[in-house]
Amino acid sequence: RILVIGACGQLGSELTNELGKIFGNDNVIASDISAPNAAIENFHFEQLDVMDADRLATIVDSHGITQIYHLAAILSAKGEENPQWAWNLNMTGLLNVLELAKEKNLKKIYWPSSIAVFGPSTPMDNTPQHTVMDPNTVYGISKLAGERWCEYYFDKYGVDVRSLRYPGLIGYKSLPGGGTTDYAVDIYHKALSGEPFECFLSEDTYLPMMYMQDAIKATIDLMQAPAEQVKIRSSYNISAIDFSPKEIVASIKEHIPNFTATYKPDFRQAIADSWPNSISDAQAREDWGWDHAFDLTKMTSDILENLPELLGDFQKA
Ligand code: VAH
């Protein structure tokens, strides 16, 4: 059985449903610190604060869990508002999962890293898998430390933990929380509501991004790959589309011509400026056949086609 920690989150709610499709809903247990939301109503739910190692062990034992997808974390923007809390949650949560995986000899662990592990000294274009990493956000620091711990538990104890450095994730089925790339989700909601969009980044801020469907595919492909193909045990670079706010606005205006945006950078501009413009994912493509399917045009069409029927639910929430 699979336990998803952070199943109510932007990625967690979509990944839980995808895992249910593959393994059967009865074989996937959803957990989160918050109460269950509609997106995961078809799954057995356990309330879990991942800082509580005993509660985690009880859930793993009672459901016969053999794999954990540990997605709970405080993201970049929110982490800067409460550094100690973000560090403690992100690190203690991961270490609780890794230690339990070792003790109970769990089959596989998935843990997301992020392009936030890169910092101002990292080569900004086509950032390589192995390079200088000097993150200057609490979130990025915790993800870099987390990558080191994942490789340590693999090398020292043989824990089969796998990880991806996600770019900004964009989807229409769930809302993000506390990220610097979240403008690229909100913009579609504003466009469909006929409202002007005020962007908290400057119009030429390039960031590596990925449509949620591609992120889900990458995660499942990595987790299904034979262990000997998984040569990176810190976290794999993966990449799909790099764009600026100006470019995503233009892609929306092709469908909604009178959509308008203004740019009012806030504290998140400095976070975005510390991250790469684009990422090299050659090693992921070579090791386990990663390939993305959505470019900006295709993503915008797919979102503008599918988001309208969900818009009402989000506006009620
Ligand atoms: C954030 N969405 O903005 C996350 C992600 C690369 C960005 O890690 O914090």
Side-chain angles (χ1 to χ4, degrees), residues 75-77 114-116 139 166-169 178-182 275:
L75 297 186
S76 59
S114 160
I115 59 159
Y139 173 71
Y166 289 129
L169 299 187
T180 299
T181 57
D182 299 352
W275 292 348

Side-chain angles (χ1 to χ4, degrees), residues 10 74-78 113-117 137 139-140 143 165-170 176-183 200 207-209 271 275:
Q10 178 199 17
I74 304 304
L75 297 186
S76 59
K78 202 161 162 198
S113 183
S114 160
I115 59 159
V117 294
T137 63
Y139 173 71
K143 288 299 184 183
R165 289 170 181 163
Y166 289 129
L169 299 187
I170 301 165
T180 299
T181 57
D182 299 352
Y183 85 87
F200 57 67
L207 284 170
M209 300 282 199
I271 296 175
W275 292 348

Side-chain angles (χ1 to χ4, degrees), residues 240-251:
I241 35 185
D242 327 311
F243 57 77
S244 63
K246 187 163 67 178
E247 291 176 343
I248 189 172
V249 167
S251 80

Side-chain angles (χ1 to χ4, degrees), residues 35-251:
N37 60 26
I40 49 164
E41 64 192 7
N42 299 325
F43 294 87
H44 182 88
F45 181 83
E46 296 280 3
Q47 191 129 24
L48 168 67
D49 173 348
V50 71
M51 306 271 276
D52 180 347
D54 294 341
R55 172 85 178 122
L56 174 60
T58 303
I59 291 172
V60 166
D61 290 343
S62 62
H63 291 283
I65 299 295
T66 56
Q67 295 189 44
I68 296 179
Y69 283 68
H70 172 35
L71 311 175
I74 304 304
L75 297 186
S76 59
K78 202 161 162 198
E80 292 309 294
E81 293 162 13
N82 205 324
Q84 287 309 317
W85 172 62
W87 168 259
N88 285 327
L89 192 155
N90 291 2
M91 293 325 303
T92 306
L94 174 61
L95 288 170
N96 284 348
V97 168
L98 290 173
E99 193 55 24
L100 195 71
K102 174 188 139 210
E103 274 166 33
K104 296 189 182 297
N105 197 23
L106 297 185
K107 191 162 164 278
K108 276 183 225 177
I109 303 295
Y110 179 73
W111 174 76
S113 183
S114 160
I115 59 159
V117 294
F118 300 117
S121 310
T122 305
M124 288 288 175
D125 296 310
N126 214 23
T127 302
Q129 176 70 43
H130 301 289
T131 184
V132 172
M133 300 162 86
D134 58 340
N136 58 12
T137 63
V138 174
Y139 173 71
I141 294 165
S142 75
K143 288 299 184 183
L144 179 53
E147 290 189 5
R148 298 287 94 239
W149 276 114
C150 288
E151 193 166 67
Y152 181 91
Y153 269 79
F154 174 74
D155 287 340
K156 200 169 171 78
Y157 308 120
V159 172
D160 186 352
V161 51
R162 306 181 184 194
S163 180
L164 296 170
R165 289 170 181 163
Y166 289 129
L169 299 187
I170 301 165
Y172 62 84
K173 295 177 192 164
S174 58
L175 292 177
T180 299
T181 57
D182 299 352
Y183 85 87
V185 176
D186 188 34
I187 193 167
Y188 291 105
H189 291 252
K190 291 291 187 302
L192 286 170
S193 312
E195 295 168 39
F197 180 62
E198 185 179 279
C199 186
F200 57 67
L201 298 180
S202 63
E203 63 177 350
D204 291 319
T205 305
Y206 275 86
L207 284 170
M209 300 282 199
M210 183 177 289
Y211 195 31
M212 186 62 79
Q213 272 86 311
D214 273 331
I216 300 286
K217 177 176 179 293
T219 310
I220 301 296
D221 288 356
L222 172 64
M223 290 300 274
Q224 307 275 54
E228 59 275 9
Q229 286 180 8
V230 183
K231 300 189 175 63
I232 298 286
R233 290 291 178 163
S234 50
S235 188
Y236 273 97
N237 281 8
I238 51 167
S239 163
I241 35 185
D242 327 311
F243 57 77
S244 63
K246 187 163 67 178
E247 291 176 343
I248 189 172
V249 167
S251 80

